[in-house]
Amino acid sequence: MVNFLRVKRCLSSLILPLSLTLLLSGCTPPADDEPIVIKFPHVTAPGTPKGQGAENLRKLVAERLGEKVVIEVYPSSQLMSDDDSLEALAFGEVQMIAVSLSKFDRLTRKFMVFDLPFLFDDLTAVEKFQGSEAGNTLLAELTEKGFLGLAYWHNGMKHFGGPAPLRQPSDGAGLKFRIMESDVLQAQILAMDGNPQKMAFGEVYQALQTGAIDAQENTWSNLYSQKFFEVQDFITESNHGYLGYLLAVNPAFWSGLPADVREPLEQIIAEVSAQVNASAQSLNQAAREKILAAGGTEIVQLKEAERASWRQAMTPVWEEFADEIGADILSTTAAGN
Ligand code: LMR
């Protein structure tokens, strides 16, 4: 379960003024002959879009900047949870993160746009928004709070897994759903009369296995690599929401890098981000095929009328958060097209 004390401590650290963040960011330059070490912890498996992106980044940096920079990748929550990594970045204990956009909602309510259910039909719609002026501006939204967004990385569209098909929102009534730390996702489950439980990613498999929760939502690549499908009889292919990441660094650490390191790193990150976003869809489809091939989990497709009733049920969620997200942002998304 989420360690609330830790989260509380984390929250207070995350609103440090930038000047203090600079002080704490551990940006003391290494000695001239030592490479700069960039620790990059994340929570997904190596074969997922994020896992592959982190590994490609590590390899390209080793090839092109090996003398000057080393990226150390720690996948599968082996170093820390996402919540802890937000805190660790602020304190300079790690230098790069790629945390789900949903988990930044306590730092900016604007990111809640990414969680609105049934707002984006697919990754193409998300990309259109992320590439817009409003989407680009959001990358730098958290700089003052100690997070400089360098890129958006896709995972994919989320689906509901549970003990029964979720053809209608009411099919989720009474079920305990694991969700990420996000108020929109909480409202989404409440709109189904379900019981939302905010929980770290690394704890979900066991919670499903022991019956502490009944259901969850995630992408095919996460459902497969975390083995959630083994403890879920049904996955409803709902495509109801987006899961993507903010690849972020501590702004003080980043601006403290010598230009002959920062600039090639930016170039590598641009290349790797393009690869991640181009391959995310096919990685997720491959994971879907593997779940099907394993047998034991039924994949449920929604009919058009069923999707319509989901959209209808989620209207109050959009209404609840529209003002905080802002009309300027919403008008640039699929909703405004
Ligand atoms: C989750 O907690 O479900 C996701 O944020 C995991 C991830 O990083 O894809």
Side-chain angles (χ1 to χ4, degrees):
M1 299 296 291
V2 173
N3 179 334
F4 287 103
L5 269 180
R6 177 82 168 157
V7 170
K8 205 167 153 224
R9 190 153 65 84
C10 172
L11 280 181
S12 50
S13 74
L14 294 180
I15 49 174
L16 292 170
L18 185 59
S19 53
L20 189 51
T21 311
L22 292 178
L23 205 70
L24 294 169
S25 65
C27 54
T28 325
D32 275 353
D33 52 347
E34 279 177 31
I36 296 163
V37 175
I38 296 183
K39 288 194 176 149
F40 182 178
H42 70 87
V43 298
T44 62
T48 56
K50 179 163 57 181
Q52 289 199 354
E55 185 53 19
N56 289 344
L57 196 59
R58 188 193 67 72
K59 278 197 200 136
L60 275 187
V61 168
E63 270 168 42
R64 296 191 203 162
L65 294 172
E67 307 275 286
K68 295 179 181 163
V69 189
V70 173
I71 299 206
E72 293 177 357
V73 178
Y74 301 91
S76 305
S77 309
Q78 65 180 242
L79 196 60
M80 57 184 75
S81 68
D82 276 336
D83 267 337
D84 287 347
S85 77
L86 290 173
E87 183 178 13
L89 192 85
F91 280 90
E93 290 160 12
V94 302
Q95 289 71 33
M96 187 173 278
I97 56 172
V99 168
S100 157
L101 293 158
S102 315
K103 295 173 185 170
F104 286 94
D105 82 342
R106 69 199 95 157
L107 292 161
T108 167
R109 305 300 270 174
K110 292 184 181 171
F111 276 25
M112 296 194 302
V113 67
F114 293 108
D115 278 344
L116 286 182
F118 296 95
L119 171 58
F120 299 108
D121 281 341
D122 50 29
L123 295 186
T124 310
V126 176
E127 235 154 60
K128 203 167 156 203
F129 169 67
Q130 290 178 340
S132 69
E133 200 186 322
N136 259 307
T137 310
L138 277 187
L139 273 180
E141 174 73 17
L142 292 172
T143 311
E144 287 293 310
K145 291 186 177 155
F147 302 89
L148 173 64
L150 298 178
Y152 292 115
W153 281 8
H154 292 325
N155 186 323
M157 301 305 288
K158 291 179 293 180
H159 313 287
F160 285 118
L166 291 173
R167 293 199 166 281
Q168 301 287 339
S170 56
D171 292 332
L175 295 182
K176 280 180 264 164
F177 283 84
R178 178 270 171 168
I179 52 164
M180 293 182 273
E181 291 276 338
S182 153
D183 290 349
V184 176
L185 299 180
Q186 179 169 282
Q188 168 192 278
I189 302 301
L190 291 174
M192 300 158 63
D193 289 326
N195 178 355
Q197 316 260 329
K198 292 180 178 174
M199 185 182 289
F201 186 58
E203 295 168 9
V204 180
Y205 179 85
Q206 205 185 356
L208 286 168
Q209 199 183 32
T210 59
I213 52 167
D214 310 299
Q216 49 72 45
E217 51 161 25
N218 229 304
T219 60
W220 291 118
S221 60
N222 281 346
L223 292 167
Y224 176 70
S225 58
Q226 297 299 311
K227 304 195 193 317
F228 296 164
F229 72 98
E230 290 182 359
V231 279
Q232 298 275 262
D233 290 341
F234 294 89
I235 298 174
T236 303
E237 192 162 28
S238 44
N239 280 300
H240 64 276
Y242 171 68
L243 173 60
Y245 311 107
L246 186 73
L247 181 73
V249 289
N250 184 306
F253 166 75
W254 201 245
S255 62
L257 290 175
D260 67 341
V261 167
R262 193 176 55 249
E263 284 161 17
L265 268 179
E266 279 165 355
Q267 173 59 33
I268 293 172
I269 286 170
E271 285 172 39
V272 170
S273 302
Q275 283 168 10
V276 169
N277 292 338
S279 61
Q281 174 92 357
S282 59
L283 279 181
N284 275 297
Q285 281 313 305
R288 181 189 189 278
E289 294 314 308
K290 288 182 201 154
I291 291 175
L292 261 184
T297 312
E298 192 177 319
I299 298 181
V300 178
Q301 313 265 359
L302 291 180
K303 301 193 177 79
E304 212 27 67
E306 291 165 344
R307 283 184 74 76
S309 67
W310 275 97
R311 284 178 188 280
Q312 172 86 25
M314 294 302 149
T315 315
V317 180
W318 287 33
E319 286 167 0
E320 184 178 342
F321 296 99
D323 284 350
E324 283 182 283
I325 293 169
D328 50 332
I329 290 175
L330 278 173
S331 64
T332 321
T333 63
N337 294 331

